[in-house]
Amino acid sequence: MTFNPIALQHLFDETLFRNIEKGTPVVETMTVSTSTEAPQSAVIAATEEFIYKGDKSSGILFILRYSDFPYFSPRAEDAFEKTLQAIGLDPARVAIVNLDNAHNPNDWGHIMRFFNPVKITLLGVEPRSLNLPEIVHNTFMKGKKATVFHTFSFEEMFADVEKKKSFWYQFRDFLKN
């Protein structure tokens, strides 16, 4: 079973929309198969303006751009989870949004209104792409409503140990403040 919209696009041929209960739109997708197997179906909650992973109520948001993966590469996801666990955070209690997903608006105001975060980490996302002022890598900037930490993607950190070390010390301080 998957809730990944990219995977579902490749698995299914038709998309149907319907309301299960008032105000709760659902996307129901079914594939038309030429084999003798029964068709598969899946239901995705489409009540959200963004497709994201995790829990936005924590106030901690990670913004990334991965074109080849829904969120992280397998290696990056493992590193992400271990990093959060080392700080004492449950990875399921933070929100992760991939701006490379065509469904997700690349608009700072929209992101702020929807997620209402207090701590935001830009993982390999340049602040200028969100119309933010320049933020040096592995530093953070306090805004009116949230503090934004700008760092490298995990792939960049895998390739350069110094980037990884710098990230770790600054990121730990960022989340503790």
Side-chain angles (χ1 to χ4, degrees), residues 49-50 59-65 97 99 104-123 125-133 135 141-150 174:
E49 297 173 50
F50 286 80
I60 300 173
L61 174 63
F62 291 86
I63 300 175
L64 46 95
R65 276 199 178 91
V97 64
L99 294 182
N104 294 333
N106 191 48
D107 177 83
W108 185 251
H110 203 144
I111 291 168
M112 291 300 293
R113 281 188 301 278
F114 180 78
F115 288 99
N116 196 28
V118 292
K119 302 235 179 191
I120 303 164
T121 301
L122 303 177
L123 284 169
V125 175
E126 289 301 319
R128 292 274 182 211
S129 71
L130 293 166
N131 294 321
L132 295 175
I135 306 169
M141 178 185 74
K142 290 188 179 203
K144 293 177 186 174
K145 296 181 180 182
T147 303
V148 180
F149 180 74
H150 176 224
F174 165 68

Side-chain angles (χ1 to χ4, degrees), residues 32-94:
V32 179
S33 175
T34 57
S35 71
T36 57
E37 297 176 14
Q40 300 173 341
S41 66
V43 177
I44 305 168
T47 60
E48 307 293 352
E49 297 173 50
F50 286 80
I51 295 174
Y52 66 99
K53 179 179 181 178
D55 181 6
K56 72 178 189 171
S57 70
S58 69
I60 300 173
L61 174 63
F62 291 86
I63 300 175
L64 46 95
R65 276 199 178 91
Y66 274 79
S67 57
D68 296 333
F69 301 97
Y71 296 99
F72 294 106
S73 68
R75 184 176 177 204
E77 185 163 8
D78 185 52
F80 175 75
E81 290 175 359
K82 287 178 180 176
T83 299
L84 292 185
Q85 289 167 350
I87 295 172
L89 282 174
D90 179 359
R93 297 277 305 139
V94 301

